[in-house]
Amino acid sequence: MLELLQKNKVGMTADGLSEGLAITRNAVRQHLATLENDGLVKKGLTRASGGRPEQLYVLTEKGQECFPRHYSWFAQLLVESIEEEVGKEGFAERLDLIGERVGRQLLRQHHELSTPADKIEALSAAMKDLGYNAHTQADEQGAAVIEADNCVFHNLAMKNPNVCRFDLALLSTFSGCEVEHQECMAKNGNVCRFRFKEPS
């Protein structure tokens, strides 16, 4: 993957990868098959070679995201800039609005979901796609709960706990439930736990 990232943006052939990595062509093909199955590499264009066209392989968007991009410092700059402009209370309100807006966008994408339970399951799946290690369960009262032990905003939320308002607004808007933030990793919790109370 690093070879594809560094050496050739338009793609590389199995022979090119074999030469660059100093491993056999068969070994390269086995690695490529695994990476294709995982959605990290895909077939790109074919290239004329004077004989049989050569197949190029390229990184997918998912594959490119495996490499560090260090967005956190930029996110922190944005948070600090907005907070300086509108103050702590104004910043919290803005996060609420952004979370609600994203929640409404997700609702339009998942218009087929009619029950809170279905929406909460979809939220858990969406959180996994974003990098949360999230799962749903029911508490002793039968209320749905999402627990995540990997918060993608952890470093940001440690410096500014108001960042969690975004999650709460998004979860509430999408599910149509009142959401209680029972435990937070940014406040020394073991997990981030969100409890959903369905409207009566």
Side-chain angles (χ1 to χ4, degrees), residues 151-169:
C151 175
V152 296
F153 298 129
H154 183 69
N155 290 336
L156 204 57
M158 287 288 290
K159 295 173 184 174
N160 192 322
N162 272 332
V163 167
C164 298
R165 302 267 299 249
F166 169 82
D167 281 338
L168 290 169

Side-chain angles (χ1 to χ4, degrees), residues 45-198:
L45 301 173
T46 54
R47 183 174 64 189
S49 62
R52 186 176 180 179
E54 294 180 319
Q55 177 66 60
L56 296 174
Y57 293 87
V58 295
L59 289 175
T60 63
E61 185 175 337
K62 180 180 177 182
Q64 291 175 13
E65 287 298 328
C66 289
F67 296 93
R69 295 196 173 183
H70 304 294
Y71 297 120
S72 58
W73 70 272
F74 183 62
Q76 184 62 40
L77 286 175
L78 287 175
V79 166
E80 291 172 355
S81 176
I82 295 170
E83 193 170 83
E84 286 175 10
E85 181 183 338
V86 300
K88 286 186 181 297
E89 187 175 333
F91 176 61
E93 291 173 356
R94 190 163 294 186
L95 285 170
D96 289 342
L97 291 172
I98 296 170
E100 290 168 8
R101 184 181 306 160
V102 174
R104 288 193 296 270
Q105 289 173 350
L106 287 174
L107 276 174
R108 288 194 291 271
Q109 294 171 17
H110 296 277
H111 55 83
E112 76 284 359
L113 301 176
S114 57
T115 68
D118 289 340
K119 292 175 182 177
I120 292 166
E121 284 293 340
L123 281 170
S124 180
M127 290 172 75
K128 287 179 184 176
D129 290 341
L130 290 171
Y132 290 89
N133 184 24
H135 63 275
T136 57
Q137 60 188 47
D139 67 10
E140 294 175 354
Q141 288 76 43
V145 172
I146 291 180
E147 280 192 1
D149 56 19
N150 177 43
C151 175
V152 296
F153 298 129
H154 183 69
N155 290 336
L156 204 57
M158 287 288 290
K159 295 173 184 174
N160 192 322
N162 272 332
V163 167
C164 298
R165 302 267 299 249
F166 169 82
D167 281 338
L168 290 169
L170 189 162
L171 297 175
S172 177
T173 301
F174 184 83
S175 67
C177 298
E178 181 183 334
V179 180
E180 179 186 357
H181 200 180
Q182 293 185 318
E183 190 171 348
C184 179
M185 293 176 68
K187 297 176 181 176
N188 299 317
N190 293 318
V191 295
C192 287
R193 181 184 296 111
F194 305 95
R195 183 181 190 269
F196 294 78
K197 181 182 178 182
E198 296 186 23

Side-chain angles (χ1 to χ4, degrees), residues 31-43 57:
H31 286 301
L32 286 171
T34 300
L35 293 170
E36 277 192 274
N37 286 336
D38 291 341
L40 302 173
V41 167
K42 65 180 179 180
K43 290 182 175 70
Y57 293 87

